[in-house]
Amino acid sequence: MANLADEYGTDVEIYIKALTTTIHADTPTGAPAKLHDLLEQLGLERHEYPTGGPLYIWHTVPEHLSADEQKRLATRAIPALLLAGYEVNCTPDVFDEATYRQAVHDVRTRAARPAATQPAPASSPSRPAPARRTP
């Protein structure tokens, strides 16, 4: 089994598997669990195949989606992966420019939204104020 992420030295390689219509997302051998978890959170399905050595893990875009929806899902995942610090390569036959731009806009919009803030607790002065005396 070829692992393009191992071959190219990236964290994620997104491509259409040869002789199929399946969009794959390969991760390097021994990739951290948080990368696999993120790919699943982004809508990709995890697959595992035990080998004599390390466990071979890859992800695919759900096949029940139309071809265009599959490409959009894969493309939408890219900004989140990049933001998480991963190096990603996506082949041109999968990449959708308009979807990518919208996903980047969505990520920026979420990041720019102020978090729900709670009122800060009343701060006490660093030293107590002197008690007032009446003469």
Side-chain angles (χ1 to χ4, degrees):
M1 289 184 199
N3 181 327
L4 295 182
D6 282 341
E7 188 174 324
Y8 296 123
T10 57
D11 295 311
V12 181
E13 283 287 326
I14 301 172
Y15 65 98
I16 297 176
K17 180 94 172 170
L19 305 175
T20 73
T21 58
T22 305
I23 297 176
H24 276 242
D26 284 357
T27 56
T29 303
K34 67 180 185 174
L35 173 54
H36 296 295
D37 293 344
L38 178 57
L39 287 165
E40 289 177 52
Q41 291 169 13
L42 295 170
L44 285 87
E45 297 174 340
R46 180 179 172 146
H47 305 276
E48 299 179 353
Y49 183 80
T51 63
L55 182 64
Y56 179 60
I57 301 172
W58 72 98
H59 294 78
T60 59
V61 173
E63 292 189 22
H64 69 274
L65 301 174
S66 73
D68 287 339
E69 290 171 324
Q70 289 180 9
K71 289 178 182 180
R72 286 192 293 269
L73 188 145
T75 301
R76 273 194 307 270
I78 296 170
L81 290 164
L82 293 172
L83 188 62
Y86 296 108
E87 184 178 344
V88 181
N89 186 38
C90 181
T91 59
D93 56 341
V94 173
F95 188 77
D96 180 279
E97 180 73 30
T99 300
Y100 180 79
R101 289 179 188 268
Q102 183 62 48
V104 167
H105 172 76
D106 294 347
V107 166
R108 287 181 178 161
T109 301
R110 278 192 302 271
R113 265 190 233 140
T117 57
Q118 297 182 7
S123 61
S124 58
S126 55
R127 57 189 170 110
R132 289 196 175 242
R133 294 163 112 193
T134 52

